[in-house]
Amino acid sequence: MNKSTQLKRIFQSQGTEYLMEAHNGLSARIVEEAGFKGIWASGLSISSSMGVRDSNEASWTQVLDVLEFMSDATKIPILLDGDTGYGNFNNARRLVKKLEQRNIAGVCIEDKLFPKTNSFINNGPQPLANIDEFCGKIKAMKDTQNDDDFVVVARVEAFIAGFGLEETLLRAEAYERAGADAILVHSKKSNASEIQSFMNEWKSRTPIIIVPTKYYSTPTSLFKEMGISTIIWANHNLRASIDAMQTISQTIFQDENLFAVEDTVATVEEVFRLQQVGELTIAEAKYLPKSHKVRDDSL
Ligand code: SPV
Ligand code: MG
């Protein structure tokens, strides 16, 4: 099944589904192996794995290059965190074209201004996009897609920007009318009260997606009761790897040997397995002439 169709089905399924964050080919493959049906290509995670800020410091084509590796490494669909669409409607529709060419199943755009700021950074107001301008962007993206099942998700940042339920509903309804396939409602509260208040009012069948990074202690059963379509675990592979890399680097730096760490890290064989080295060995046996010496040390 097409990756886009797979993603559409995740959003349209009756129960609550999950997307797990990945930020490169390796983490994407690990997410797939864990059993997830889909991947969240997180802007925060991709930017920080590049060593830059989540402020559109990486260009959109650099993000596209990462996505290509992620898509090649996996069979499950990828939803790109497309920030604001990297510009106006014209940049956003070109993005759709390029994502389709790379077999990316969908993109989520948020109603903020380029260059965006991560929703959890408290460095002043986070200005929102004009509603009509953002609706035009959604329409342009939907009109551009070649594949009927390519998914455009509209993310409402009204709660993040300090507005209440009324503004959030107004925007969600407008984006739905503009053609969004699903609505992501974001909140930075430490409990799910904003999400609950929104879900109490949301009567439409358009799927609702959430990112419970800050309200992590809310039980998933509550999200299911609310009728949440999809939960995004948005940055946990990145954060786990930061922790692991800090520990291993500090230990090796201090110890000046590998005694303490060898049994705490993945084996080299596991690295080879994740790279699918076995497939290349089989392919070499099949495609290289038997007499051909692959590596001639005498040269
Ligand atoms: C991301 O993962 O980059 C997101 C989600 O946009 S958040 O960082 O929670 O805003
Ligand atoms: Mg993001």
Side-chain angles (χ1 to χ4, degrees):
M1 195 193 302
N2 276 349
K3 287 182 173 181
S4 54
T5 310
Q6 288 180 52
L7 187 62
K8 199 157 222 181
R9 291 202 179 172
I10 289 174
F11 292 145
Q12 290 179 347
S13 99
Q14 287 303 309
T16 301
E17 304 278 355
Y18 309 98
L19 299 182
M20 178 71 189
E21 171 262 322
H23 49 273
N24 56 25
L26 176 66
S27 54
R29 186 163 281 156
I30 287 171
V31 167
E32 180 172 66
E33 283 193 349
F36 284 99
K37 291 186 195 164
I39 294 170
W40 169 246
S42 154
L44 174 66
S45 299
I46 292 174
S47 59
S48 49
S49 69
M50 289 170 162
V52 297
R53 286 167 285 231
D54 188 12
S55 306
N56 296 122
E57 290 183 344
S59 74
W60 71 277
T61 56
Q62 288 172 319
V63 173
L64 216 55
D65 286 343
V66 174
L67 284 170
E68 189 168 330
F69 280 105
M70 291 170 65
S71 183
D72 286 349
T74 48
K75 294 190 174 59
I76 55 175
I78 298 172
L79 177 66
L80 168 65
D81 170 8
D83 293 341
T84 59
Y86 310 109
N88 72 2
F89 81 92
N90 192 37
N91 305 92
R93 67 180 178 170
R94 185 160 165 75
L95 173 68
V96 170
K97 240 184 189 175
K98 293 290 145 187
L99 292 175
E100 285 195 330
Q101 287 168 2
R102 282 163 179 76
N103 205 12
I104 305 303
V107 59
C108 174
I109 55 161
E110 63 198 52
D111 56 356
K112 293 219 295 253
L113 304 181
F114 180 92
K116 56 71 61 86
T117 304
N118 185 273
S119 305
F120 300 145
I121 294 179
N122 290 316
N123 63 350
Q126 299 221 355
L128 295 183
N130 171 279
I131 294 183
D132 291 338
E133 189 265 340
F134 196 71
C135 286
K137 198 181 269 188
I138 295 167
K139 281 186 195 133
M141 293 167 82
K142 292 305 292 177
D143 286 346
T144 297
Q145 69 187 63
N146 277 318
D147 169 1
D148 282 348
D149 286 344
F150 183 86
V151 173
V152 173
V153 176
R155 166 168 159 179
V156 183
E157 291 275 298
F159 283 142
I160 299 291
F163 291 92
L165 179 60
E166 204 179 325
E167 182 73 19
T168 305
L169 276 168
L170 181 79
R171 285 175 175 267
E173 284 160 8
Y175 304 161
E176 178 190 39
R177 280 196 302 275
D181 299 291
I183 304 289
L184 191 161
V185 183
H186 208 10
S187 170
K188 59 180 178 183
K189 273 183 97 75
S190 60
N191 60 55
S193 56
E194 287 178 335
I195 302 299
Q196 179 77 72
S197 68
F198 177 88
M199 291 310 286
N200 289 345
E201 297 301 321
W202 187 251
K203 304 295 177 223
S204 155
R205 289 169 59 86
T206 298
I208 299 299
I209 304 170
I210 58 166
V211 182
T213 303
K214 291 288 180 182
Y215 45 102
Y216 58 86
S217 56
T218 306
T220 298
S221 55
L222 193 62
F223 299 136
K224 291 184 180 182
E225 278 169 32
M226 290 181 199
I228 296 295
S229 156
T230 303
I231 300 171
I232 297 178
W233 313 120
N235 46 45
H236 301 80
N237 275 320
L238 175 86
R239 287 162 63 195
S241 65
I242 288 174
D243 216 36
M245 290 191 287
Q246 285 172 332
T247 301
I248 209 78
S249 289
Q250 284 160 12
T251 306
I252 295 175
F253 181 78
Q254 278 156 18
D255 293 359
E256 298 183 28
N257 64 56
L258 301 174
F259 302 159
V261 301
E262 179 59 22
D263 292 341
T264 70
V265 294
T267 61
V268 177
E269 285 68 33
E270 176 61 359
V271 177
F272 294 154
R273 188 192 68 77
L274 284 163
Q275 290 176 305
Q276 299 182 344
V277 167
E279 190 278 335
L280 179 57
T281 307
I282 293 167
E284 282 174 348
K286 186 172 173 188
Y287 299 118
L288 284 177
K290 297 283 175 283
S291 58
H292 183 81
K293 269 190 106 180
V294 181
R295 290 171 207 91
D296 190 340
D297 295 335
S298 67
L299 292 178

